[in-house]
Amino acid sequence: MNKPKTLQQAIRYFSDEQVCIDTVAALRWPNGPICPKCAHNEHYYLASQRRWKCKECYKQFSVKVGTIFEDSAIPLDKWLAALWMLVNCKNGISSYEVGRALGITQKSAWFVLHRLRLAIQNASMNKMGGEGKLIEVDETFIGGAARYMHADKRKRRITETGTKDKIAVQGILERGGEVRAAVVGNRKKHALQTNIRAHVKAGSAIYTDALMSYQGLKQEGFAHQVIDHAEKYVDGQIHTNGLENFWSLVKRGLKGTYISVEPFHLFRYIDEQVYRYNNRGSKEVPVNDGQRFQKALSQIAGKRLTFAEVTGKVQETAC
């Protein structure tokens, strides 16, 4: 059977556990399985247990070891179905929906989704832009609207008007390229410009709004131009409308699908939307659901997130 391109095809294709194992193994080990204990590449396959045994150290290992699936009793067909829905539902999918669809508890579905968000996290250290490249930089605030809160919660969480009790997120978009977004501590010059220098090459043309924190970017080697939103939103090619589109997608998912997101986990939901946006395809280079899924599945190795880490009981380790 050809690789699935729709959810229905994917459910049929991955209904066999061995097909799931073969698919994940082929992406992890293109040249054959490698022992995670000693890195030896000679092994036996124990068909009855669906795992391998290393000829060197004699340790047994499954395809889940060393991936986000490790130590999970949930079968791979459910993991892969959850991954398919996460990367292909434009506004995201809630843990309640995943739990009902896969026949697992909401708590398990919540944990599954957070582990999958770690897999699709963009950890690229390559800088964006360069000579002749156009970069948009903008920030937004994410937090609950006071008028929708219960009076007790509003009294506890809303201490001032404006953006005081909301979380600042900065986005950087290369026109015709990818977007990156990260939770920042505040909108002060040091925080915003440090993030720009970490992700954008000197010499890039940067467009921002009139926020004072962006002053001085020209001295940092960027061709910086400003659009003052108090006067207009577009002045030729000077605008941040690309990022405004991205923010609308982020907030549509947070407000319409996830409803309530703790600040502790906000970066995970931002990473999720960044992945979908960067892999949405275009008329020139179309990307279907199957290709978006395959790319996400290829990123599962070398990443681990325990329940203690995701609930904040221990510090999360860097991957």
Side-chain angles (χ1 to χ4, degrees):
M1 179 180 173
N2 294 327
K3 296 295 183 183
K5 295 181 180 179
T6 67
L7 177 59
Q8 183 184 35
Q9 291 175 358
I11 291 173
R12 291 176 177 173
Y13 186 77
F14 294 119
S15 60
D16 185 343
E17 183 77 5
Q18 189 60 52
V19 172
C20 298
I21 292 171
D22 293 342
T23 300
V24 175
L27 288 171
R28 282 195 70 187
W29 305 304
N31 299 318
I34 299 174
C35 176
K37 180 72 174 179
C38 67
H40 199 67
N41 60 359
E42 293 186 14
H43 53 270
Y44 305 97
Y45 185 64
L46 309 176
S48 61
Q49 300 181 47
R50 291 179 174 170
R51 60 178 61 203
W52 292 267
K53 184 174 183 179
C54 178
K55 290 185 178 181
E56 181 68 20
C57 66
Y58 302 107
K59 295 291 185 180
Q60 295 184 19
F61 61 95
S62 72
V63 76
K64 289 183 176 181
V65 174
T67 72
I68 56 168
F69 307 139
E70 188 169 346
D71 285 341
S72 173
I74 297 173
L76 280 175
D77 61 334
K78 294 188 177 184
W79 271 106
L80 300 188
L83 179 60
W84 187 286
M85 291 186 285
L86 180 70
V87 300
N88 291 315
C89 293
K90 190 173 183 179
N91 294 327
I93 185 165
S94 74
S95 56
Y96 283 93
E97 292 178 90
V98 171
R100 288 196 303 270
L102 301 184
I104 59 179
T105 65
Q106 182 271 332
K107 182 179 178 180
S108 294
W110 179 83
F111 187 29
V112 162
L113 289 174
H114 276 322
R115 290 164 83 170
L116 293 175
R117 290 182 184 108
L118 175 63
I120 62 178
Q121 188 180 77
N122 180 15
S124 174
M125 298 302 293
N126 296 326
K127 290 190 176 183
M128 306 162 65
E131 294 290 341
K133 298 294 185 179
L134 309 180
I135 303 290
E136 296 178 23
V137 180
D138 191 28
E139 68 291 328
T140 192
F141 285 93
I142 294 175
R147 64 182 178 276
Y148 297 131
M149 291 183 183
H150 188 276
D152 291 341
K153 179 184 283 189
R154 184 166 61 244
K155 184 177 180 180
R156 184 176 71 253
R157 297 184 62 175
I158 307 298
T159 59
E160 291 184 20
T161 59
T163 59
K164 168 67 170 58
D165 298 291
K166 296 189 177 184
I167 307 299
V169 180
Q170 185 181 36
I172 303 173
L173 170 69
E174 180 178 334
R175 291 186 188 166
E178 66 176 24
V179 67
R180 295 183 189 177
V183 175
V184 291
N186 52 64
R187 287 203 304 171
K188 293 182 179 179
K189 183 175 182 178
H190 176 75
L192 299 185
Q193 294 200 19
T194 297
N195 196 43
I196 291 173
R197 290 192 296 270
H199 291 280
V200 183
K201 295 178 182 177
S204 304
I206 293 184
Y207 303 136
T208 71
D209 58 21
L211 183 68
M212 298 291 286
S213 298
Y214 292 120
Q215 288 188 358
L217 283 174
K218 288 185 178 180
Q219 285 70 37
E220 296 288 340
F222 301 105
H224 179 214
Q225 291 182 281
V226 171
I227 182 73
D228 189 347
H229 290 162
E231 299 177 0
K232 51 190 171 182
Y233 284 89
V234 179
D235 183 4
Q237 65 180 3
I238 306 172
H239 62 80
T240 59
N241 289 347
L243 271 174
E244 294 295 346
N245 172 47
F246 175 70
W247 295 140
S248 71
L249 293 172
V250 169
K251 293 186 177 182
R252 191 182 306 161
L254 293 176
K255 293 180 180 179
T257 302
Y258 299 118
I259 312 300
S260 179
V261 172
E262 289 296 324
F264 177 71
H265 294 301
L266 179 59
F267 75 97
R268 306 184 197 278
Y269 296 90
I270 299 296
D271 291 339
E272 172 193 334
Q273 192 59 256
V274 164
Y275 178 85
R276 284 197 295 264
Y277 188 89
N278 288 340
N279 293 279
R280 66 197 186 284
S282 62
K283 291 182 179 179
E284 296 76 18
V285 186
V287 176
N288 62 42
D289 290 359
Q291 292 169 324
R292 199 174 297 110
F293 167 80
Q294 287 288 327
K295 181 177 179 180
L297 190 59
S298 69
Q299 300 176 190
I300 62 167
K303 298 178 180 179
R304 186 79 193 280
L305 184 65
T306 66
F307 193 74
E309 289 171 340
V310 82
T311 53
K313 294 178 181 178
V314 298
Q315 187 174 359
E316 187 173 334
T317 56
C319 295

